[in-house]
Amino acid sequence: PKTAAPTLTFNTSGFPSGVNGIYTKAIDIVSGSGHETTSGFNFKVDKANPTVTVSGQLASGSGPLVGPNPSILVDATDTHSGVVNSILKVDGTSSDSVAQTCLAGGCSLSGARLVANTGSMSNGSHSYQVITTDAAGNQTTVSGTFVLDKTPPTADVTADILDNPGTLVGEGPHTFEYDAHDVGSGVA
């Protein structure tokens, strides 16, 4: 008996963007003696990107001022193949991610918290991207900028009771003077 195991390639690039559904492909096989058989299979096409919204420290306004290790919350849905992961990149480098197994399709992320690791980053302006992927490989990217200020403010305080530690004081008035400094974001 002779056997054949050809590879058949099926390309979904001809489907328009956003087309989704279950399709059937039939294959007719004919032997050298003329006997014929048909075999088929179903497949699902998902060419739609996930829907993604972000909130939290990094996403609060245009270029928000943030302290060390700010976070962003991700809500993502994909009704066809399901959301499998979201990745947070800061200045083009992966910083955090969340992944899930979505075997049945239609899985979503709700309030997934991603943290920007700012340990080695300098103060100043930075960019972020949240890249969310569904099981079919479709991606949605949400991006923005933020200003990092990791330096805490300093304060110099003087007062008559501070100048004489351990001194008992009676009823006031007592005065305090302070001078506060913050080279990054200023003092509120």
Side-chain angles (χ1 to χ4, degrees), residues 19-93:
V19 169
N20 302 289
I22 297 175
Y23 300 90
T24 301
K25 179 70 176 172
I27 302 171
D28 291 327
I29 302 168
V30 180
S31 71
S33 64
H35 297 291
E36 185 175 332
T37 187
T38 300
S39 181
F41 57 93
N42 293 330
F43 60 95
K44 184 176 182 180
V45 174
D46 176 3
K47 294 185 76 174
N49 294 339
T51 301
V52 181
T53 58
V54 295
S55 60
Q57 294 169 303
L58 288 179
S60 61
S62 178
L65 180 65
V66 298
N69 302 320
S71 64
I72 194 164
L73 300 175
V74 179
D75 292 304
T77 59
D78 185 90
T79 57
H80 303 289
S81 62
V83 174
V84 293
N85 68 32
S86 278
I87 299 169
L88 172 62
K89 289 186 174 185
V90 177
D91 295 337
T93 302

Side-chain angles (χ1 to χ4, degrees), residues 148-181:
L148 178 63
D149 179 7
K150 299 189 305 184
T151 308
T154 59
D156 298 319
V157 179
T158 57
D160 58 350
I161 60 174
L162 293 175
D163 294 337
N164 300 305
T167 302
L168 294 174
V169 292
E171 289 187 37
H174 298 282
T175 59
F176 293 85
E177 294 180 13
Y178 66 92
D179 188 16
H181 309 277

